[in-house]
mmCIF file of all heavy atoms in Angstrom:
data_model
loop_
_atom_site.group_PDB
_atom_site.id
_atom_site.type_symbol
_atom_site.label_atom_id
_atom_site.label_comp_id
_atom_site.label_asym_id
_atom_site.label_seq_id
_atom_site.Cartn_x
_atom_site.Cartn_y
_atom_site.Cartn_z
ATOM 1 N N PHE A 600 7.569 27.034 4.727
ATOM 2 C CA PHE A 600 8.952 27.139 4.418
ATOM 3 C C PHE A 600 9.760 27.725 5.593
ATOM 4 O O PHE A 600 9.587 28.958 5.909
ATOM 5 C CB PHE A 600 9.124 28.151 3.174
ATOM 6 C CG PHE A 600 8.843 27.497 1.833
ATOM 7 C CD1 PHE A 600 7.649 27.588 1.206
ATOM 8 C CD2 PHE A 600 9.834 26.775 1.272
ATOM 9 C CE1 PHE A 600 7.289 27.016 0.092
ATOM 10 C CE2 PHE A 600 9.572 26.123 0.062
ATOM 11 C CZ PHE A 600 8.321 26.302 -0.627
ATOM 12 N N PRO A 603 14.598 29.530 2.564
ATOM 13 C CA PRO A 603 14.264 30.141 1.250
ATOM 14 C C PRO A 603 14.246 29.087 0.209
ATOM 15 O O PRO A 603 14.630 27.949 0.329
ATOM 16 C CB PRO A 603 15.391 31.080 1.030
ATOM 17 C CG PRO A 603 16.225 31.194 2.269
ATOM 18 C CD PRO A 603 15.937 29.959 3.141
ATOM 19 N N SER A 604 13.657 29.528 -0.951
ATOM 20 C CA SER A 604 13.486 28.676 -2.054
ATOM 21 C C SER A 604 13.168 29.514 -3.361
ATOM 22 O O SER A 604 12.441 30.530 -3.202
ATOM 23 C CB SER A 604 12.323 27.655 -1.862
ATOM 24 O OG SER A 604 11.887 27.104 -3.084
ATOM 25 N N LEU A 605 13.547 29.031 -4.493
ATOM 26 C CA LEU A 605 13.096 29.584 -5.694
ATOM 27 C C LEU A 605 12.318 28.508 -6.427
ATOM 28 O O LEU A 605 11.100 28.618 -6.749
ATOM 29 C CB LEU A 605 14.298 29.933 -6.662
ATOM 30 C CG LEU A 605 13.938 30.739 -7.952
ATOM 31 C CD1 LEU A 605 14.909 31.770 -8.440
ATOM 32 C CD2 LEU A 605 13.752 29.651 -9.147
ATOM 33 N N ARG A 606 12.932 27.313 -6.805
ATOM 34 C CA ARG A 606 12.282 26.267 -7.516
ATOM 35 C C ARG A 606 11.178 25.610 -6.814
ATOM 36 O O ARG A 606 10.131 25.364 -7.353
ATOM 37 C CB ARG A 606 13.308 25.197 -7.878
ATOM 38 C CG ARG A 606 14.257 25.580 -9.107
ATOM 39 C CD ARG A 606 15.576 25.047 -8.952
ATOM 40 N NE ARG A 606 16.268 25.792 -7.916
ATOM 41 C CZ ARG A 606 16.923 26.965 -8.135
ATOM 42 N NH1 ARG A 606 17.012 27.359 -9.379
ATOM 43 N NH2 ARG A 606 17.421 27.712 -7.149
ATOM 44 N N THR A 607 11.491 25.248 -5.568
ATOM 45 C CA THR A 607 10.424 24.531 -4.788
ATOM 46 C C THR A 607 9.121 25.244 -4.580
ATOM 47 O O THR A 607 8.027 24.657 -4.882
ATOM 48 C CB THR A 607 11.001 24.041 -3.440
ATOM 49 O OG1 THR A 607 12.208 23.248 -3.701
ATOM 50 C CG2 THR A 607 10.077 23.152 -2.631
ATOM 51 N N ARG A 608 9.306 26.472 -4.230
ATOM 52 C CA ARG A 608 8.106 27.246 -4.018
ATOM 53 C C ARG A 608 7.342 27.527 -5.279
ATOM 54 O O ARG A 608 6.092 27.336 -5.382
ATOM 55 C CB ARG A 608 8.393 28.597 -3.348
ATOM 56 C CG ARG A 608 7.222 29.448 -3.235
ATOM 57 C CD ARG A 608 7.433 30.799 -2.402
ATOM 58 N NE ARG A 608 6.247 31.481 -2.436
ATOM 59 C CZ ARG A 608 5.977 32.665 -1.841
ATOM 60 N NH1 ARG A 608 6.909 33.068 -1.009
ATOM 61 N NH2 ARG A 608 4.828 33.290 -1.935
ATOM 62 N N ARG A 667 9.488 22.611 4.295
ATOM 63 C CA ARG A 667 10.940 22.718 4.063
ATOM 64 C C ARG A 667 11.545 23.075 5.422
ATOM 65 O O ARG A 667 11.235 24.189 5.914
ATOM 66 C CB ARG A 667 11.332 23.726 2.967
ATOM 67 C CG ARG A 667 12.706 24.137 2.977
ATOM 68 C CD ARG A 667 13.118 24.895 1.695
ATOM 69 N NE ARG A 667 13.380 23.934 0.595
ATOM 70 C CZ ARG A 667 14.067 24.178 -0.452
ATOM 71 N NH1 ARG A 667 14.648 25.348 -0.643
ATOM 72 N NH2 ARG A 667 14.149 23.340 -1.520
ATOM 73 N N PHE A 669 15.484 22.956 6.883
ATOM 74 C CA PHE A 669 16.962 22.537 6.725
ATOM 75 C C PHE A 669 17.483 22.263 8.175
ATOM 76 O O PHE A 669 16.891 22.693 9.171
ATOM 77 C CB PHE A 669 17.813 23.660 6.164
ATOM 78 C CG PHE A 669 17.535 23.924 4.677
ATOM 79 C CD1 PHE A 669 18.153 24.980 4.077
ATOM 80 C CD2 PHE A 669 16.637 23.080 3.921
ATOM 81 C CE1 PHE A 669 18.004 25.244 2.733
ATOM 82 C CE2 PHE A 669 16.438 23.310 2.510
ATOM 83 C CZ PHE A 669 17.132 24.386 1.998
ATOM 84 N N MET A 698 9.714 18.851 1.480
ATOM 85 C CA MET A 698 10.212 19.910 0.518
ATOM 86 C C MET A 698 11.654 20.133 0.699
ATOM 87 O O MET A 698 12.236 21.117 0.152
ATOM 88 C CB MET A 698 9.493 21.176 0.441
ATOM 89 C CG MET A 698 7.974 21.010 0.144
ATOM 90 S SD MET A 698 7.202 22.569 -0.281
ATOM 91 C CE MET A 698 7.292 23.485 1.309
ATOM 92 N N GLU A 699 12.372 19.355 1.436
ATOM 93 C CA GLU A 699 13.914 19.285 1.739
ATOM 94 C C GLU A 699 14.095 19.579 3.251
ATOM 95 O O GLU A 699 13.822 20.626 3.771
ATOM 96 C CB GLU A 699 14.654 20.254 0.967
ATOM 97 C CG GLU A 699 16.223 19.992 1.181
ATOM 98 C CD GLU A 699 17.191 20.828 0.385
ATOM 99 O OE1 GLU A 699 16.799 21.596 -0.542
ATOM 100 O OE2 GLU A 699 18.374 20.722 0.592
ATOM 101 N N HIS A 703 15.973 15.181 0.129
ATOM 102 C CA HIS A 703 15.144 16.106 -0.759
ATOM 103 C C HIS A 703 14.467 15.079 -1.705
ATOM 104 O O HIS A 703 14.798 15.084 -2.898
ATOM 105 C CB HIS A 703 16.120 17.069 -1.454
ATOM 106 C CG HIS A 703 15.423 18.335 -2.069
ATOM 107 N ND1 HIS A 703 14.110 18.404 -2.191
ATOM 108 C CD2 HIS A 703 15.940 19.382 -2.637
ATOM 109 C CE1 HIS A 703 13.777 19.478 -2.788
ATOM 110 N NE2 HIS A 703 14.966 20.111 -3.032
ATOM 111 N N GLN A 706 13.222 16.377 -5.201
ATOM 112 C CA GLN A 706 14.430 16.521 -6.128
ATOM 113 C C GLN A 706 14.773 15.143 -6.611
ATOM 114 O O GLN A 706 15.030 15.038 -7.845
ATOM 115 C CB GLN A 706 15.557 17.127 -5.425
ATOM 116 C CG GLN A 706 16.632 17.590 -6.398
ATOM 117 C CD GLN A 706 16.197 18.874 -7.098
ATOM 118 O OE1 GLN A 706 15.767 19.826 -6.372
ATOM 119 N NE2 GLN A 706 16.378 18.929 -8.425
ATOM 120 N N VAL A 741 20.808 16.712 -0.647
ATOM 121 C CA VAL A 741 20.756 16.265 -2.041
ATOM 122 C C VAL A 741 21.642 15.101 -2.368
ATOM 123 O O VAL A 741 21.429 14.214 -3.035
ATOM 124 C CB VAL A 741 21.008 17.489 -2.991
ATOM 125 C CG1 VAL A 741 21.100 16.972 -4.426
ATOM 126 C CG2 VAL A 741 19.776 18.477 -2.898
ATOM 127 N N CYS A 847 21.175 20.103 -8.872
ATOM 128 C CA CYS A 847 19.720 20.397 -8.393
ATOM 129 C C CYS A 847 19.350 21.895 -8.493
ATOM 130 O O CYS A 847 18.211 22.309 -8.480
ATOM 131 C CB CYS A 847 19.559 19.941 -6.906
ATOM 132 S SG CYS A 847 20.678 20.784 -5.746
ATOM 133 N N LEU A 848 20.453 22.677 -8.581
ATOM 134 C CA LEU A 848 20.337 24.132 -8.572
ATOM 135 C C LEU A 848 19.724 24.660 -7.218
ATOM 136 O O LEU A 848 18.988 23.982 -6.618
ATOM 137 C CB LEU A 848 19.435 24.707 -9.665
ATOM 138 C CG LEU A 848 19.934 24.275 -11.109
ATOM 139 C CD1 LEU A 848 18.974 24.726 -12.156
ATOM 140 C CD2 LEU A 848 21.321 24.711 -11.428
ATOM 141 N N PRO A 849 20.228 25.811 -6.712
ATOM 142 C CA PRO A 849 21.058 26.847 -7.351
ATOM 143 C C PRO A 849 22.534 26.192 -7.422
ATOM 144 O O PRO A 849 22.910 25.627 -6.491
ATOM 145 C CB PRO A 849 20.955 28.056 -6.516
ATOM 146 C CG PRO A 849 20.621 27.399 -5.153
ATOM 147 C CD PRO A 849 19.754 26.278 -5.390
ATOM 148 N N ARG A 875 10.619 19.198 -11.707
ATOM 149 C CA ARG A 875 10.117 19.236 -10.354
ATOM 150 C C ARG A 875 8.696 19.534 -10.320
ATOM 151 O O ARG A 875 7.769 18.965 -9.619
ATOM 152 C CB ARG A 875 10.796 20.450 -9.637
ATOM 153 C CG ARG A 875 12.244 20.222 -9.177
ATOM 154 C CD ARG A 875 12.392 19.279 -8.034
ATOM 155 N NE ARG A 875 11.646 19.704 -6.932
ATOM 156 C CZ ARG A 875 12.042 20.638 -6.002
ATOM 157 N NH1 ARG A 875 13.248 21.148 -6.088
ATOM 158 N NH2 ARG A 875 11.302 20.909 -4.948
HETATM 159 N N1 CP B 1044 16.566 22.562 -5.959
HETATM 160 C C1 CP B 1044 15.811 23.272 -5.035
HETATM 161 O O1 CP B 1044 15.208 22.841 -4.171
HETATM 162 O O2 CP B 1044 15.774 24.571 -5.336
HETATM 163 P P1 CP B 1044 15.222 25.723 -4.292
HETATM 164 O O3 CP B 1044 16.056 25.674 -3.130
HETATM 165 O O4 CP B 1044 15.387 27.027 -5.087
HETATM 166 O O5 CP B 1044 13.798 25.451 -4.009
#
Side-chain angles (χ1 to χ4, degrees):
F600 283 96
S604 163
L605 185 149
R606 280 144 289 274
T607 303
R608 177 172 175 175
R667 165 166 284 199
F669 290 175
M698 297 195 296
E699 190 175 351
H703 198 350
Q706 194 74 49
V741 171
C847 63
L848 303 178
R875 289 288 304 276

